[in-house]
Amino acid sequence: MGLENRLKEYRARDNLNQSDLGKLVGASRQTISLIERGDYSPSVILALKIAKIFGTTVEELFLYEEE
Amino acid sequence: MKKLNPTIKFFIVLVISAFIGGLLGGSIIHGEDAIIQSLINFQNFMINNNLLIQSSVFGLCALIILILYISANLKLKHLDENDDLLFDQIDHQLGFLIPFISVTMIFGFCLFGVTVTNSMEDFKLLGLIIFLVNMAFTLIMTILSIKLTKVLYPDKKGNPLDFNFDKEWLKSCDEAEKFVIYKASYRCYQLMNFVYCGVVTLCLLISIAVNIGIFPYLLIGFLWITQTLVYSIAANRFQHGQLDNVQ
């Protein structure tokens, strides 16, 4: 299974588009899109920044299960 | 099906390659005259029609570049911040446009090289003019395309005319963009090792029939060793504390 995330869900909750979120965490829209699609695993720092924006924890936002 | 042991697989590939090499070598010895003639014909064709080839290749590439640039520019003017689809389209277009401009420039250098090869006997000023126009055009289009990319990604920094452009550009990329660049660079490194090996094999095969001199081997050897050393030295440095990824 690997890494899954609830980024889209949280973004919809806070009414943020990918560009807005990118600006808030200092990443490009493409990077947010890659993370959302599960094509890129963010660094610890970026994951923490995203979690902070949504007022939640990294564990709540990113779900990891051993394959 | 049981997977083959990598060592056995390696030796099987080695034997097959040696067999193919021997077969090709044998057929080259038998078809020596035909190969020499076709190489001479090809060289003569390139030298005699160089101006036509140079101008056609440049004209076609310039047309494609202009169409792509104008189309991306128009799309960018109509881009709405929430239109992810159009954003991706422009991004793809620019992702093709910038490397294509580089390829056009490389073509310019190679075809000008053919012009220079024949310059002692018959120097063609038009060849030099096409080359200079190609260089000016690709330089201007690179600057304009980078400007366009900066409109799409306002955080990107760097002036293409600056010698530190690559460094500055990379610095302004975020972590996923850097990851893409690193992954693509490694793919390029891996592929180039095969390309060098293939070109040396090709030269060896041609050498059986035609004397191509020592310079192709020296040049390929120089490029291959440079690439391997640059990669190894950089990897060694990064492994010993100069990775510089602390944010």
Side-chain angles (χ1 to χ4, degrees):
Chain A
M1 178 183 161
L3 191 69
E4 285 197 356
N5 67 78
R6 298 169 63 194
L7 220 62
K8 206 168 179 177
E9 187 188 319
Y10 273 85
R11 231 175 13 87
R13 187 198 71 182
D14 290 8
N15 203 19
L16 285 171
N17 63 28
Q18 291 180 337
S19 299
D20 295 335
L21 180 60
K23 276 175 202 157
L24 289 170
V25 296
S28 68
R29 194 200 68 91
Q30 291 294 78
T31 298
I32 302 298
S33 168
L34 283 171
I35 297 171
E36 262 184 29
R37 292 200 310 257
D39 290 336
Y40 176 72
S41 305
S43 67
V44 178
I45 293 174
L46 186 55
L48 285 167
K49 278 183 184 173
I50 297 171
K52 200 176 172 185
I53 293 294
F54 293 124
T56 185
T57 59
V58 174
E59 291 91 332
E60 192 65 34
L61 208 54
F62 295 95
L63 319 159
Y64 178 72
E65 271 184 35
E66 293 278 351
E67 287 192 47
Chain B
M1 208 177 113
K2 211 180 148 191
K3 240 185 161 183
L4 265 176
N5 180 320
T7 317
I8 297 171
K9 201 174 162 187
F10 175 77
F11 281 107
I12 291 174
V13 170
L14 208 71
V15 170
I16 294 171
S17 305
F19 179 72
I20 294 171
L23 212 70
L24 279 172
S27 41
I28 281 172
I29 292 170
H30 287 295
E32 195 180 328
D33 291 339
I35 290 166
I36 293 173
Q37 200 49 52
S38 35
L39 284 174
I40 291 170
N41 286 347
F42 178 68
Q43 183 170 304
N44 287 341
F45 173 80
M46 286 297 287
I47 290 173
N48 295 335
N49 299 293
N50 188 38
L51 286 182
L52 185 69
I53 296 169
Q54 216 179 341
S55 48
S56 314
V57 169
F58 172 60
L60 188 70
C61 290
L63 190 69
I64 295 171
I65 290 169
L66 283 174
I67 291 171
L68 283 172
Y69 174 78
I70 293 166
S71 150
N73 202 5
L74 284 174
K75 280 179 187 165
L76 200 59
K77 276 179 186 155
H78 298 107
L79 179 68
D80 174 58
E81 221 183 53
N82 293 317
D83 194 346
D84 289 346
L85 200 74
L86 189 63
F87 191 102
D88 282 339
Q89 265 184 24
I90 303 169
D91 186 60
H92 277 132
Q93 220 162 321
L94 287 173
F96 177 74
L97 176 65
I98 297 173
F100 193 75
I101 294 171
S102 302
V103 169
T104 307
M105 192 184 72
I106 297 165
F107 263 133
F109 272 112
C110 290
L111 293 171
F112 181 60
V114 178
T115 309
V116 172
T117 306
N118 204 29
S119 61
M120 295 295 260
E121 293 158 27
D122 177 24
F123 180 72
K124 286 172 180 141
L125 186 67
L126 192 58
L128 178 67
I129 293 169
I130 296 171
F131 169 70
L132 292 176
V133 171
N134 185 335
M135 291 301 114
F137 176 77
T138 46
L139 184 67
I140 292 166
M141 290 316 293
T142 304
I143 295 168
L144 291 175
S145 306
I146 296 288
K147 265 189 184 170
L148 220 57
T149 310
K150 282 181 181 173
V151 176
L152 202 62
Y153 296 102
D155 291 336
K156 290 272 187 290
K157 288 187 178 72
N159 178 353
L161 297 176
D162 186 354
F163 286 112
N164 280 328
F165 170 70
D166 287 331
K167 239 182 192 175
E168 244 185 283
W169 186 265
L170 187 66
K171 221 174 166 183
S172 67
C173 290
D174 69 19
E175 57 173 66
E177 289 164 333
K178 279 180 186 161
F179 184 72
V180 169
I181 293 172
Y182 298 152
K183 213 171 169 184
S185 305
Y186 185 64
R187 181 68 58 84
C188 175
Y189 166 76
Q190 275 181 313
L191 189 71
M192 283 315 289
N193 278 332
F194 280 107
V195 170
Y196 287 132
C197 190
V199 174
V200 168
T201 312
L202 189 72
C203 287
L204 283 170
L205 287 170
I206 294 174
S207 295
I208 297 171
V210 189
N211 181 9
I212 57 169
I214 61 165
F215 290 104
Y217 298 106
L218 293 181
L219 193 64
I220 298 163
F222 173 74
L223 294 174
W224 202 351
I225 290 169
T226 306
Q227 179 187 281
T228 308
L229 287 180
V230 168
Y231 174 82
S232 309
I233 292 167
N236 205 28
R237 266 191 199 159
F238 293 147
Q239 268 176 345
H240 294 93
Q242 293 180 33
L243 199 52
D244 195 27
N245 80 324
V246 181
Q247 293 173 39

